[in-house]
Amino acid sequence: MDGEAQRATASWENGTLAPVDRLRFERADSPTPGLVEGTEPGAGQKSAMFVHAQSFEDLTAEAEGEAQREALLEKSETDGAEELEVLNIASESKSKEEDVSSEAWRSHRKHVFVLSEAGKPIYTRYGTEEALSSTMGVMMALVSFVEAEKNIIRSIHADGCKVVFLTKSPLVLVGVSRTCQSDKEMLRELQYIYYQIVSLLTLTQLNHIFQHKQNYDLRRLLAGSEYLTDNLLHRLDRDPGLLLSAVTCLPLASSARDVVSASLQAAKAKSLVFSILLAGDRLVTLVRKKDQFLHHIDLHLVFNLVGSSSSFREGEGWTPICLPKFNTAGFFHAHISYLEPASSLCLILVSTDREDFFNMSNCKQRFLERLSKRSAYQALKEALKCPSYSVAQVGIPELRHFLYKSKSSGLYTSPEFPVVYQSDEEQERLMGLYQELHSHLHHPTRPLRSFYRCSKTENLLAWVTSGFELYLCFSPLGTKALAVAAANKLMKWIRKEEDRLFILSPLTY
Amino acid sequence: MSAMRVDAKVVMLGKESVGKTSLVERYVHHRFLVGPYQNTIGAAFVAKPIQVGDKVITLGIWDTAGSERYEAMSRIYYRGARAAIVCYDLTDSSSFQRARFWVKELQNFEEHCKIYLCGTKNDLVEGDRSLRQIDYHDAQDFAEEIGAQHFETSSKTGSNVDELFQKVAEDYNNTALQYMTAEETGVDLGQKKDSYFYSCCHSN
């Protein structure tokens, strides 16, 4: 899978007009020279913790080449008019039901539907699946209709509304959006939902079920997990980590972090593959088995699982979890517990052996005993009090907010939202703007290396090199020259702070 | 093992949302959390020492998820259990069917496990008798048939909860003398099961 992804990535990189020489020239000419991959601020000193992924290309370019994709897009666009009629019929027939026919239901910004290849509803973000069975039937009809012509339906664009299809046998995922998100962004989100479902059941089990009973109602097996998917969708709207395919860290002095990592490293066991210490949604440290890497997507699924449920607070959790980017066929077993009852520090020990609960429990005790003897534990607890930082610390007055991702480490950093973006709507709007910049930088055929945009409410600058991705948000009064100067100043600040903001020396057992 | 010494493994079984977690929560933390229902993910383990006569016995309680998704995995939670508290919701007859399923499962695979049949949410029934869907005597008859103890509890009021776990501990204490092979409590660490990964195939 990853091999394919790389091929696909290479193919579009070759497809750009910029010859390789020019890229090198640009890099050398960039105001902060030497920022090649692996030397950018935040890059790990030894090795990365994560599967090396070209940000999100490996998500979307997984299955097909871009050329084919473009061709299909055209196809679905020309067919759009006809297919939309079908959709309208469907909406009329379902309008008899209360809930899903209401204007309020229709006007949700983004709908997500999951159905089986037999057209059976599995999940809807809003409303109930029962009420939507005819609508989902129509969705499946559209997919099969286009498939019958040996083609694949990708999206339908009509009247400010976008319908994006993702077929991942035995599931079909459909996103309906009124936002200005690109198809690719939508597809990325659907992919996440797909992986969320796989993480609960494994792909092997999914296939097995539908091979034996095409008509199976998967909701039986997913019962009680809907809120995980709901939460994941919420995160997709708000969490920059999911956009950047990266994870953010709890700011912590590197000396303290190293002690925590070493304590975790010492508490090892034969079946232990990953030890992950979280503070809320922030990574404190991650220790992994040699040669085993965790993928961001898998880590985000773990974050989502832990963050969505208070059930791990009651005792020690022990749950099967499939990490789909690692292996879609089998379950790992995760020991999940909080270090102290009211603490936000949550330890996740990922084991290969389902019988190993008490062994993992013992690892946790050993880690805790070791850690609590050292002053680093106090430093860590202190750090929990300010899990984020204000943009004012950077000392650039016109800078409001930014996202910085170190590509080689897969980690990003970002300050808390400033006063102007306090409300949920404003924060989601800003995230939407970042998404837009992101899709310009990662356009499948015409990726940009930098992008500057002025608007009434803010000025934005995005900049990508082989080593990092940077997204900045300025007050609307600034100029482009100011913005570029600010970007350079920010880079220096991040370099200065990198050992606090990033995990520079990740450990293995 | 430095973590804890567990004397008796106790497993909570039953249909989802019958209130297994609430029962454990009431017993261990003496509280009842009001709020939106949250299902258990996988299983949660908690150790609780309990006084029996002049002895202290530590119950290792496995609160399992009721969701069908975890059914294939349930064996690892009840294997070697000394007691199983099979819960059903007094206001939901389908949950009693599910309880029968678990009883059968235990009888087939875990013959040394004592079964405690527990009807939950008694406060609802006391508030409004018409809500009761499982007759006390029917459940009692079933319990006698399978040689189980029968309780009706309310995690909200705490009624009968301590009595239930006290009984579990006492029974363990009385029978512990008979089975001196007590080290079945946890997991056999030396034994590697299956392959490196395993997949759980749905068998319906």
Side-chain angles (χ1 to χ4, degrees):
Chain A
M1 235 183 203
D2 279 339
E4 262 182 51
Q6 267 158 20
R7 237 179 298 135
T9 311
S11 79
W12 70 250
E13 277 194 339
N14 293 340
T16 59
L17 293 171
V20 182
D21 281 352
R22 212 192 108 207
L23 296 182
R24 194 173 298 139
F25 165 72
E26 266 190 12
R27 201 179 298 143
D29 204 31
S30 73
T32 34
L35 290 178
V36 287
E37 192 165 354
T39 62
E40 78 276 11
Q45 278 161 0
K46 287 176 202 151
S47 56
M49 289 176 291
F50 302 118
V51 172
H52 188 76
Q54 285 270 344
S55 100
F56 90 157
E57 278 72 24
D58 73 328
L59 257 177
T60 43
E62 197 167 58
E64 290 86 19
E66 289 299 329
Q68 188 194 351
R69 194 179 127 75
E70 287 288 295
L72 291 167
L73 259 175
E74 268 171 42
K75 157 83 181 157
S76 71
E77 264 161 15
T78 49
D79 285 358
E82 198 183 313
E83 283 153 6
L84 262 169
E85 267 176 38
V86 187
L87 256 186
N88 283 335
I89 296 165
S91 12
E92 268 160 41
S93 71
K94 83 188 177 205
S95 68
K96 287 179 193 86
E97 285 130 31
E98 263 260 280
D99 207 9
V100 299
S101 63
S102 66
E103 203 42 54
W105 185 83
R106 283 158 180 272
S107 55
H108 284 298
R109 269 175 65 245
K110 201 187 293 167
H111 282 277
V112 172
F113 307 97
V114 183
L115 43 144
S116 71
E117 279 175 326
K120 261 223 165 113
I122 294 169
Y123 171 81
T124 172
R125 187 177 192 181
Y126 303 106
T128 62
E129 288 85 10
E130 289 86 354
L132 289 164
S133 52
S134 57
T135 312
M136 300 219 195
V138 173
M139 289 173 184
M140 196 54 228
L142 288 175
V143 172
S144 327
F145 178 78
V146 179
E147 237 165 43
E149 312 260 300
K150 300 226 172 352
N151 220 325
I152 302 170
I153 188 165
R154 290 292 179 180
S155 60
I156 300 171
H157 300 244
D159 201 18
C161 197
K162 205 174 281 176
V163 187
V164 177
F165 294 84
L166 174 67
T167 322
K168 283 283 209 179
S169 181
L171 305 182
V172 176
L173 298 98
V174 183
V176 179
S177 165
R178 296 184 182 280
T179 64
C180 49
Q181 263 185 323
S182 66
D183 286 12
K184 204 175 168 185
E185 297 284 344
M186 288 277 292
L187 223 45
R188 179 179 61 87
E189 298 192 353
L190 293 179
Q191 205 111 20
Y192 260 109
I193 302 305
Y194 167 74
Y195 284 131
Q196 164 64 44
I197 294 172
V198 172
S199 83
L200 292 168
L201 300 174
T202 74
L203 185 58
T204 309
Q205 193 182 186
L206 259 183
N207 284 331
H208 181 86
I209 291 164
F210 285 106
Q211 268 158 23
H212 282 78
K213 205 172 164 208
Q214 258 198 325
N215 227 354
Y216 188 80
D217 185 356
L218 198 63
R219 284 180 307 157
R220 274 180 61 187
L221 278 190
L222 292 176
S225 73
E226 298 83 358
Y227 71 102
L228 289 176
T229 311
D230 293 344
N231 267 321
L232 185 60
L233 282 165
H234 184 68
R235 276 166 192 261
L236 282 163
D237 284 338
R238 303 188 51 94
D239 186 341
L242 293 149
L243 174 69
L244 297 173
S245 302
V247 179
T248 193
C249 308
L250 178 80
L252 181 66
S254 61
S255 54
R257 198 187 311 270
D258 290 347
V259 172
V260 178
S261 304
S263 308
L264 207 49
Q265 183 191 37
K268 61 182 170 190
K270 203 173 155 208
S271 73
L272 195 57
V273 191
F274 301 111
S275 308
I276 306 160
L277 186 63
L278 293 185
D281 273 347
R282 289 161 184 278
L283 189 62
V284 178
T285 186
L286 188 158
V287 183
R288 57 181 179 80
K289 218 183 187 86
K290 226 181 218 147
D291 306 322
Q292 306 295 346
F293 295 90
L294 195 56
H295 194 282
H296 321 98
I297 295 178
D298 291 340
L299 190 53
H300 278 297
L301 293 175
V302 171
F303 276 38
N304 188 48
L305 179 74
V306 172
S308 303
S309 176
S310 64
S311 88
F312 304 115
R313 291 226 168 248
E314 314 307 339
E316 296 167 69
W318 182 240
T319 182
I321 180 172
C322 168
L323 300 175
K325 284 303 233 179
F326 192 95
N327 183 343
T328 54
F331 281 118
F332 282 107
H333 292 267
H335 180 280
I336 303 174
S337 63
Y338 285 85
L339 291 194
E340 286 170 37
S343 166
S344 64
L345 288 169
C346 182
L347 180 66
I348 300 140
L349 300 170
V350 181
S351 157
T352 51
D353 188 349
R354 62 171 165 172
E355 308 283 340
D356 242 4
F357 172 83
F358 286 101
N359 218 350
M360 292 300 115
S361 183
N362 191 24
C363 284
K364 181 207 168 176
Q365 284 310 320
R366 270 158 45 208
F367 165 64
L368 204 55
E369 274 163 27
R370 199 183 174 99
L371 183 64
S372 46
K373 279 187 219 138
R374 325 211 166 206
S375 59
Y377 194 32
Q378 214 41 53
L380 174 59
K381 284 183 184 166
E382 278 303 309
L384 292 175
K385 290 179 188 153
C386 42
S388 191
Y389 54 92
S390 129
V391 72
Q393 288 184 27
V394 185
I396 304 171
E398 60 279 10
L399 183 66
R400 285 182 176 174
H401 193 253
F402 68 89
L403 308 176
Y404 168 86
K405 175 192 170 185
S406 148
K407 279 192 185 175
S408 53
S409 67
L411 298 170
Y412 81 94
T413 186
S414 174
E416 59 202 21
F417 284 105
V419 189
V420 269
Y421 301 104
Q422 269 320 308
S423 71
D424 278 2
E425 296 81 53
E426 277 299 300
Q427 289 177 5
E428 275 175 30
R429 191 179 66 81
L430 181 60
M431 280 306 300
L433 293 170
Y434 284 143
Q435 273 194 10
E436 212 184 316
L437 295 177
H438 185 268
S439 38
H440 284 297
L441 297 188
H442 296 271
H443 193 279
T445 49
R446 297 175 298 278
L448 300 176
R449 303 194 62 81
S450 63
F451 188 90
Y452 183 69
R453 202 182 105 166
C454 296
S455 77
K456 265 188 277 180
T457 42
E458 57 273 295
N459 292 350
L460 298 159
L461 174 66
W463 180 22
V464 60
T465 72
S466 66
F468 65 84
E469 282 177 44
L470 183 59
Y471 303 84
L472 304 118
C473 168
F474 297 97
S475 92
L477 302 172
T479 63
K480 189 174 168 184
L482 231 79
V484 172
N488 289 313
K489 194 170 171 198
L490 175 62
M491 290 300 291
K492 289 197 185 97
W493 182 82
I494 295 173
R495 172 65 87 192
K496 190 165 71 81
E497 299 285 324
E498 65 175 342
D499 48 358
R500 197 171 61 89
L501 300 177
F502 294 92
I503 301 172
L504 296 182
S505 36
L507 296 177
T508 58
Y509 303 122
Chain B
M1 211 171 278
S2 62
M4 63 202 73
R5 192 184 60 90
V6 171
D7 297 303
K9 178 173 177 178
V10 181
V11 63
M12 313 289 298
L13 295 169
K15 194 188 165 188
E16 60 188 324
S17 82
V18 296
K20 298 179 289 298
T21 303
S22 292
L23 197 59
V24 175
E25 185 75 15
R26 165 57 77 183
Y27 175 60
V28 176
H29 300 291
H30 315 289
R31 59 185 178 190
F32 180 73
L33 300 177
V34 190
Y37 167 69
Q38 240 200 11
N39 63 338
T40 304
I41 292 168
F45 175 83
V46 62
K48 170 84 178 175
I50 177 170
Q51 185 82 33
V52 179
D54 52 0
K55 268 170 75 183
V56 174
I57 285 173
T58 304
L59 299 181
I61 304 170
W62 279 98
D63 176 21
T64 67
S67 166
E68 218 179 302
R69 181 167 66 250
Y70 300 107
E71 194 178 298
M73 240 143 292
S74 56
R75 274 216 72 192
I76 67 164
Y77 303 123
Y78 65 66
R79 182 185 306 137
R82 286 320 193 80
I85 299 176
V86 179
C87 301
Y88 63 95
D89 179 346
L90 290 171
T91 67
D92 173 9
S93 56
S94 71
S95 70
F96 196 68
Q97 289 311 311
R98 195 71 187 148
R100 286 176 183 273
F101 163 85
W102 284 118
V103 167
K104 210 185 235 165
E105 190 90 351
L106 289 165
Q107 287 173 330
N108 286 340
F109 296 108
E110 225 42 65
E111 53 175 337
H112 293 304
C113 178
K114 271 187 88 80
I115 298 173
Y116 298 80
L117 198 61
C118 175
T120 60
K121 310 188 190 176
N122 200 16
D123 53 288
L124 292 182
V125 178
E126 275 173 357
D128 178 359
R129 281 181 190 285
S130 67
L131 286 175
R132 184 185 271 275
Q133 288 196 8
I134 310 296
D135 186 74
Y136 176 82
H137 299 286
D138 289 352
Q140 184 65 38
D141 288 351
F142 177 60
E144 274 164 25
E145 185 189 318
I146 59 169
Q149 300 277 344
H150 178 223
F151 288 83
E152 287 192 348
T153 62
S154 163
S155 304
K156 191 170 178 180
T157 64
S159 136
N160 240 358
V161 174
D162 286 349
E163 289 83 346
L164 166 66
F165 284 94
Q166 191 68 39
K167 181 76 182 148
V168 169
E170 279 167 11
D171 286 354
Y172 167 77
N173 193 33
N174 294 336
T175 53
L177 305 168
Q178 295 169 23
Y179 305 101
M180 287 306 282
T181 54
E183 272 321 291
E184 250 187 322
T185 49
V187 162
D188 183 357
L189 299 177
Q191 173 195 8
K192 279 276 170 284
K193 278 298 273 187
D194 309 324
S195 55
Y196 201 56
F197 299 104
Y198 78 97
S199 67
C200 89
C201 291
H202 189 69
S203 49
N204 263 28

